[in-house]
Amino acid sequence: MVAPPDNDVLWARALHYSPNGSPALQGVSLGVREGEILAVSGPRGSGKTSLLRCLSGRLVPTEGEVWFHSTALHTMDRLQREKLRRESFGWIGTQPALVAELTGWENAALPLLLRGTAHRAAKSAALDWLDRLDAGDCAHQRPHRLRQDQCQRIAVARALITLPPLLFADEPTAALHRADGNQVLRTLTAAARSHRITVLLATGDPDVAALADRAVHLVDGRRTGETPYPATTGAEGRDTCSLSV
Amino acid sequence: MLALRLARGAHPVVLARRLLVTAASAATGFLLLCALAYALVRPGGEAPAARLAWCLLPVAATVHLALAVARTDPGTRPRPGLSAIGLGPAKLALFAAATTALAALTGSLLALAVFLHLRGDLSGMPFDGAAAELTAAGRPLPLPAALTLLAVVPLAATATVALALRPRREPPATEKDPDAARPAPAEPPAGLPWGVTLVALGLAAETYAAGGAALPGGLGSGRGAVLAGWVIASVGLAVAGPGLTHLSGRLLQIGRPGAARLLAGRALMAEARRIGRPLGVAAAVAAVTLGGTVLFRQEAFRPFGDLTALGATLVVLCAVATLLTAAVESRQERAPTTGTLTDLGAPAALLRTTAALRAGVLLAVFLPLTWLVARLAALPLGS
């Protein structure tokens, strides 16, 4: 086993994953630096979701290694990975996946409540985050009354509320219209930058990938290249955003 | 044919649930045939008709179970792929009805075979003609009557399933996408006041009539009125079930709840109808059974025949099986929520705690209440 480079938060080597024999990942290696926003881009079926799920410990790769700081995810058992997900990772999926019977703020506060935070503190943190994400008016509504983009904002708040060191966003704006999606994504990246949250952002859209610091490309489960985005264009308005969110 | 084909490929647990319906239908069919045999031996009078009327309870319990099983059947749930090729809710309701008919008919045929065997008509096996007296062995069995009685359960179950699962007519604009990720939760159930009223009314009528007075307005007197009050009180318990479940969910979240109490309480509120109805019925059956044991101890008042034990066991088992099936259905419905929680890293212990909390609060609410209603209902019966 090779020890991972020191400055990488997350590090993966030669990941192979083939559920039921169909190869989803074929030898992907990747390093994510602390505080960066890394886009994983590629068309549908290129293995983005599988890669993010392997890196976040929701799937165990058939072959290869995943390191988070100095812990090896690929050797952990289910309970340990669950604990790591609860304490260190955030996840935003394509669908908001909110709990239907909880209101907006309860959904956003769920990770805090799961950690045993007091009701009052969890509520004020959730309301705070919903306000920052322009979803303050959704706080007391159930998800079935809300628009898709409002639900997705709540999902973003739920992922950010614990200020996880590492946030996985799997095509978070794929189901939204362009304007809504852009706004959700900008608030997400701005919040991540101001809180030094490392983000792995899977996307099929080059414009979305351009919001990141760097993009790696996947095709058919293989890594085909990398695009660095210079700070001026890619991380547009980095400092101004960090002040506002 | 598609129903048969899908039934063949079903999971063993699903098949086991369908077998439960078959067994319940067989037992009910047997009870109906025994009522017919009783009428053959002692024609005329009110006793055979009363016996047949008592068979309504097992029939109702069987139909209730068949409906619960049809609701949980994975073959009859809307699936995105099947909906896309036109096998939508309307067709699936027919499919559910066909599956139910198949299970219930098998049960009826089984009942006929066992009945004929116990009469001694089908010979060559153990217990041949073992219950000759009960099954009117000496007399020819009127086939049309037997077949009519055997058709009752399959027809009732099929019709109920088809009616209950039929797609509701709604304006196209408000029609929901069967694949939609955000189903709207059901409105809170409104039956609690009605249920409480019925329980109070039933208990009052029973106590009043047991005192020897005729009910006001010529509503009857004596044993009949006592029984009517008893039935009304039990029905009230069943009607109050969903409302009580909803209330239990609300009670669970009093104060500033943490994750476990919040999730358990909200789940109960969301599942109030699905769990509450069979729970109310089970509570009613339990209350009647408790009251019935009091009644049974009295030598003077025994409206029951030889097959009471079979009938009572059947009703109780059906109520329990329906409740368990509803719990399975609720679990299936909650699978997305459970998935979301697991993805958030919720520990398995938390999921177990919420399940235990739900069961605990339901027991804490329903057990004392059932006991109280049963005791109050049994008071005038025992006097």
Side-chain angles (χ1 to χ4, degrees):
Chain A
M1 249 182 235
V2 189
D6 284 343
N7 56 345
D8 282 357
V9 181
L10 187 74
W11 185 78
R13 194 180 67 82
L15 286 182
H16 285 263
Y17 179 66
S18 6
N20 297 328
S22 55
L25 295 178
Q26 308 182 56
V28 179
S29 298
L30 184 85
V32 189
R33 290 177 215 126
E34 178 128 33
E36 81 168 336
I37 296 182
L38 174 65
V40 178
S41 72
R44 262 185 97 104
S46 59
K48 303 187 295 291
T49 301
S50 296
L51 178 63
L52 258 64
R53 292 175 84 95
C54 279
L55 293 178
S56 63
R58 291 166 67 165
L59 292 178
V60 181
T62 334
E63 267 178 58
E65 297 171 9
V66 182
W67 291 81
F68 173 64
H69 289 299
S70 53
T71 46
L73 255 74
H74 53 282
T75 57
M76 284 179 155
D77 67 18
R78 202 191 177 90
L79 290 179
Q80 289 170 319
R81 279 183 281 128
E82 204 173 84
K83 186 156 179 281
L84 186 70
R85 275 213 302 281
R86 188 162 65 243
E87 289 175 355
S88 306
F89 294 167
W91 178 279
I92 305 168
T94 312
Q95 293 295 330
L98 301 180
V99 179
E101 55 260 29
L102 299 184
T103 60
W105 80 260
E106 287 163 342
N107 264 299
L110 199 51
L112 286 184
L113 291 174
L114 286 179
R115 292 174 172 197
T117 311
H119 188 90
R120 197 190 293 261
K123 182 171 185 176
S124 70
L127 292 179
D128 198 27
W129 269 107
L130 287 178
D131 274 340
R132 288 193 211 181
L133 293 165
D134 292 334
D137 49 342
C138 317
H140 297 283
Q141 306 252 24
R142 301 272 204 89
H144 71 102
R145 292 196 185 281
L146 298 175
R147 294 194 311 269
Q148 180 85 5
D149 68 294
Q150 290 174 321
C151 288
Q152 195 65 1
R153 280 169 210 271
I154 296 176
V156 172
R158 183 176 68 184
L160 288 172
I161 196 166
T162 54
L163 296 178
L166 188 53
L167 177 65
F168 296 90
D170 181 19
E171 303 210 49
T173 56
L176 302 186
H177 284 185
R178 227 149 237 284
D180 289 334
N182 275 337
Q183 211 196 348
V184 167
L185 214 58
R186 272 168 208 282
T187 44
L188 169 66
T189 48
R193 288 209 162 98
S194 62
H195 291 281
R196 298 275 305 157
I197 297 173
T198 312
V199 180
L200 239 98
L201 176 69
T203 178
D205 185 348
D207 294 346
V208 170
L211 282 171
D213 300 321
R214 183 161 74 94
V216 294
H217 305 294
L218 285 187
V219 172
D220 295 342
R222 288 198 175 82
R223 188 171 161 178
T224 53
E226 179 175 327
T227 317
Y229 293 105
T232 43
T233 60
E236 164 203 337
R238 187 179 299 195
D239 295 323
T240 49
C241 275
S242 66
L243 287 177
S244 64
V245 178
Chain B
M1 276 336 274
L2 181 65
L4 268 181
R5 202 166 281 237
L6 283 177
R8 211 185 49 182
H11 193 269
V13 175
V14 178
L15 287 179
R17 284 204 292 268
R18 288 189 195 141
L19 273 183
L20 271 183
V21 176
T22 306
S25 162
T28 312
F30 185 74
L31 281 179
L32 286 167
L33 286 179
C34 284
L36 175 65
Y38 186 82
L40 284 180
V41 178
R42 303 172 191 74
E46 277 188 6
R51 242 168 214 243
L52 200 58
W54 276 110
C55 284
L56 273 182
L57 283 180
V59 169
T62 307
V63 169
H64 193 216
L65 173 66
L67 181 60
V69 168
R71 279 189 204 274
T72 39
D73 203 323
T76 61
R77 314 186 129 243
R79 287 190 247 183
L82 291 184
S83 179
I85 59 166
L87 198 57
K91 193 86 180 160
L92 283 176
L94 288 181
F95 171 71
T99 315
T100 309
L102 186 70
L105 261 182
T106 316
S108 284
L109 290 180
L110 208 63
L112 184 64
V114 170
F115 185 77
L116 290 180
H117 175 57
L118 290 182
R119 261 166 73 87
D121 291 355
L122 307 173
S123 52
M125 281 180 288
F127 303 113
D128 195 5
E133 198 247 343
L134 207 61
T135 51
R139 292 151 204 275
L141 189 69
L143 200 60
L147 290 186
T148 309
L149 284 181
L150 284 178
V152 166
V153 173
L155 281 182
T158 310
T160 312
V161 167
L163 270 179
L165 297 187
R166 79 186 189 284
R168 304 275 187 280
R169 284 197 186 283
E170 46 195 341
T174 62
E175 202 172 279
K176 286 175 213 75
D177 180 1
D179 315 340
R182 288 179 292 157
E187 294 295 308
L192 189 54
W194 284 108
V196 173
T197 312
L198 281 177
V199 169
L201 181 74
L203 290 179
E206 200 186 350
T207 318
Y208 198 72
L215 286 182
L219 285 172
S221 61
R223 286 295 181 190
V226 172
L227 271 185
W230 193 28
V231 169
I232 290 175
S234 313
V235 168
L237 205 51
V239 169
L244 275 177
T245 311
H246 197 263
L247 190 69
S248 315
R250 205 164 269 273
L251 283 178
L252 205 48
Q253 303 167 54
I254 284 181
R256 302 184 182 281
R261 276 205 294 140
L262 183 69
L263 286 169
R266 288 294 161 83
L268 270 188
M269 283 166 71
E271 300 287 299
R273 275 163 212 273
R274 199 167 285 128
I275 290 288
R277 273 190 201 139
L279 196 58
V281 171
V285 167
V288 169
T289 313
L290 283 178
T293 50
V294 173
L295 204 61
F296 207 70
R297 282 195 214 111
Q298 293 174 266
E299 290 296 320
F301 187 62
R302 269 196 189 175
F304 312 112
D306 314 312
L307 291 164
T308 316
L310 176 60
T313 316
L314 178 64
V315 171
V316 170
L317 285 184
C318 273
V320 172
T322 309
L323 183 57
L324 292 180
T325 313
V328 171
E329 187 195 358
S330 154
R331 191 190 153 113
Q332 286 173 350
E333 288 290 319
R334 299 188 49 71
T337 303
T338 314
T340 306
L341 289 175
T342 318
D343 285 350
L344 281 176
L350 177 96
L351 298 178
R352 279 197 295 273
T353 311
T354 54
L357 271 178
R358 287 202 296 265
V361 74
L362 284 182
L363 282 180
V365 167
F366 274 84
L367 273 187
L369 194 73
T370 309
W371 184 81
L372 188 71
V373 170
R375 292 299 299 185
L376 286 179
L379 272 183
L381 294 177
S383 61

